[in-house]
Amino acid sequence: MPMTDKAKHDSTLDAAFAAARAQQPEPSAELMARVLAEAEDVQAGLARPPERSRPKRGYLRQFLDAMGGWPAMTGLAAAGVAGVWLGISPVVGVSDALVNYLGTGDTLGYAVDVMPGAELGLAWEEGAL
Amino acid sequence: MQDVSDEAMLVLFANGDPAAARALTLRLTPRAFGHAMRLLGNRAEAEDVAQEAMLRLWRVAPEWRQGEAKVTTWLYRVVANLCTDRLRRSGRGVALEAVPEPEDDARGPHERMQEAARLDALQDGLNILPERQRQAVVLRHIEGLSNPEIADVMEISVDAVESLTARGKRALSAVLEGRREELGYADDR
């Protein structure tokens, strides 16, 4: 009985697959040696105790270290507070005459001077200083 | 060592057994290389892929969980992914280099040449298949995996595997049939 086309195709393909199965491409000896060398390297690494790595430091920690640690930060904070205090408290040592000319009173420190220096110039001209 | 499964061998490897490293290298490198060779059609590239896949296996060994996956399934998957990456990166199909034929053969020169020509023709046919079809056909008909195993490797359903292999075989069949006389298949019966 003659073979059908499909059977003929299948048998051709099956023969080709069988040939391919029978002749698997062989890796070279060099490849085998490279693979084994890497296996031994990795294995040696697995046997070694893990290195103690320093814990990862956060940005705040790194910033603090760069600034000199907490003592430096307390100094910086004290300087900031002192600056604020100086800004809002009456300045000791400013000429009493100037204080008298500008007027006394608790509100002076909080007045908004829209023309800074104008009154000082006036006082100078009037010989108050 | 020969009776020990790949999975148990990998645990021995992770525990530092040097014999396990040798046994796994001998057992699995030819499979990784053979699969890469069928998918890429290029010996040098297939060697690179096999080496990289084996290196990944060594590195994953300490975390390998017994009973979760077969080592060969994992390896075929890694090899196929590496091959796909290479083919996509280079923007080409597979190379046209033929699978080299062995020379230690008792057959006459004519038979050897014919066999080599048939293997070349098969590789040529595989080379023109779409990647997934090629992979499914190679795993099924050359590596000899079952459809469920291939489904595991390719992470698709068994139905999809059947569809891929059927289409791949049809395309291959057409290629080989066109060269039937040239390859001497007509003389075989």
Side-chain angles (χ1 to χ4, degrees):
Chain A
M1 193 170 78
M3 265 187 162
T4 63
D5 277 355
K6 184 176 183 314
K8 207 160 56 180
H9 290 189
D10 285 352
S11 68
T12 304
L13 195 53
D14 288 344
F17 284 141
R21 277 194 298 274
Q23 301 196 357
Q24 292 282 2
E26 289 291 320
S28 67
E30 291 78 18
L31 173 65
M32 298 297 280
R34 287 201 301 272
V35 169
L36 184 58
E38 284 185 339
E40 288 167 350
D41 278 356
V42 172
Q43 214 171 28
L46 295 176
R48 213 176 296 134
E51 283 178 23
R52 277 177 179 273
S53 58
R54 295 175 66 187
K56 189 168 165 47
R57 289 136 53 89
Y59 292 119
L60 177 61
R61 185 75 245 172
Q62 290 176 33
F63 173 73
L64 277 177
D65 287 352
M67 296 300 290
W70 281 115
M73 288 309 287
T74 53
L76 196 62
V81 170
V84 171
W85 180 75
L86 283 173
I88 61 172
S89 65
V91 180
V92 180
V94 173
S95 161
D96 288 344
L98 178 59
V99 173
N100 288 335
Y101 181 80
L102 295 176
T104 54
D106 292 342
T107 55
L108 179 64
Y110 305 103
V112 176
D113 188 354
V114 292
M115 290 181 66
E119 285 166 323
L120 191 64
L122 208 59
W124 180 263
E125 283 174 13
E126 291 174 6
L129 298 177
Chain B
M1 274 286 181
Q2 284 188 344
D3 299 335
V4 183
S5 69
D6 295 339
E7 294 72 30
M9 195 82 82
L10 202 55
V11 173
L12 290 175
F13 170 84
N15 291 337
D17 185 341
R22 280 193 300 277
L24 283 171
T25 299
L26 290 172
R27 205 185 270 190
L28 298 177
T29 308
R31 296 181 86 156
F33 170 73
H35 194 45
M37 187 70 195
R38 300 287 182 200
L39 297 182
L40 291 169
N42 177 290
R43 191 172 183 89
E45 286 198 295
E47 289 209 343
D48 285 351
V49 164
Q51 188 177 347
E52 174 64 26
M54 291 301 292
L55 179 58
R56 290 186 186 192
L57 180 66
W58 307 137
R59 287 181 176 155
V60 85
E63 287 105 52
W64 194 268
R65 285 185 288 277
Q66 287 250 44
E68 204 163 271
K70 278 181 75 178
V71 172
T72 46
T73 301
W74 182 93
L75 190 63
Y76 280 129
R77 190 183 302 150
V78 170
V79 167
N81 288 342
L82 289 170
C83 291
T84 300
D85 287 349
R86 274 181 179 255
L87 293 172
R88 290 193 182 152
R89 233 182 10 242
S90 63
R92 63 170 170 80
V94 292
L96 293 177
E97 180 188 324
V99 177
E101 65 277 11
E103 287 168 13
D104 54 341
D105 203 322
R107 291 168 298 172
H110 174 71
E111 285 79 9
R112 287 214 327 241
M113 280 175 64
Q114 193 173 60
E115 188 77 2
R118 288 176 179 185
L119 288 175
D120 286 356
L122 178 65
Q123 187 66 45
D124 288 350
L126 287 170
N127 291 353
I128 60 172
L129 293 184
E131 277 171 36
R132 302 287 278 175
Q133 280 183 29
R134 186 186 322 138
Q135 191 188 352
V137 168
V138 168
L139 288 172
R140 181 79 187 88
H141 296 285
I142 300 180
E143 310 294 349
L145 270 63
S146 67
N147 283 349
E149 284 175 315
I150 300 169
D152 267 358
V153 171
M154 299 181 71
E155 298 176 296
I156 55 177
S157 69
V158 173
D159 285 349
V161 171
E162 286 169 0
S163 163
L164 283 172
T165 48
R167 279 182 287 153
K169 274 182 77 175
R170 270 200 302 277
L172 269 180
S173 206
V175 170
L176 289 182
E177 206 50 38
R179 300 170 63 177
R180 195 174 150 77
E181 300 294 328
E182 168 202 342
L183 297 172
Y185 283 114
D187 308 335
D188 288 354
R189 55 187 66 91

